[in-house]
Amino acid sequence: QVQLVESGGGSVQAGGSLRLSCASSGSIYDRYCMAWFRQAPGKEREGVAYITSGDTTNYADSVKGRFTISKDNAKNILYLQMNSLKPEDTAMYYCAGHPRGTRYCGFSQRDFTEWGQGTQVTVSS
């Protein structure tokens, strides 16, 4: 069973930056679709960004131009670089993945079979 562990969350001022990491228990990023989701208190969990095994990426409109998803297959680490952070970015951030093909790579939560425990990001004014 694949295990995912997020890290890198914390508290920052608006306009600041954070880089989240998601370490896998094995070499999976060369064949998995990987995504970052987030959930703020009182809100539904939403997709933030995803990356295919072939490194094609996509972003939610709310983070486009500010966030960058990437991965290091050799190190088994998925990243989310977050710049120009806003208070509305405050949420618990989760990484998730599945071994299905690129046809199923996206923001459909039910498609993802592997989930991390989450890391908290808090952005203050």
Side-chain angles (χ1 to χ4, degrees):
Q1 183 179 5
V2 173
Q3 292 178 299
L4 303 174
V5 180
E6 302 97 331
S7 62
S11 298
V12 297
Q13 295 287 317
S17 297
L18 284 173
R19 187 173 74 165
L20 307 183
S21 298
C22 177
S24 69
S25 59
S27 181
I28 65 168
Y29 297 149
D30 60 342
R31 64 185 190 277
Y32 268 56
C33 167
M34 299 299 301
W36 287 95
F37 293 84
R38 67 185 182 186
Q39 186 169 23
K43 298 181 66 177
E44 296 292 320
R45 187 165 57 186
E46 63 178 352
V48 176
Y50 65 79
I51 184 168
T52 69
S53 59
D55 290 342
T56 297
T57 61
N58 200 13
Y59 301 87
D61 288 341
S62 60
V63 307
K64 191 173 298 182
R66 299 188 297 119
F67 291 10
T68 302
I69 187 171
S70 63
K71 58 189 176 74
D72 187 328
N73 293 350
K75 295 182 178 180
N76 301 319
I77 301 177
L78 174 76
Y79 299 103
L80 183 68
Q81 178 66 48
M82 305 184 294
N83 298 325
S84 302
L85 283 162
K86 305 174 180 179
E88 52 261 44
D89 294 319
T90 295
M92 184 73 75
Y93 284 71
Y94 302 88
C95 68
H98 67 73
R100 299 172 182 174
T102 57
R103 172 69 174 82
Y104 301 95
C105 198
F107 292 138
S108 180
Q109 297 178 50
R110 61 181 176 273
D111 287 335
F112 289 85
T113 58
E114 316 295 337
W115 290 84
Q117 84 291 345
T119 185
Q120 178 68 40
V121 172
T122 302
V123 185
S124 61
S125 301

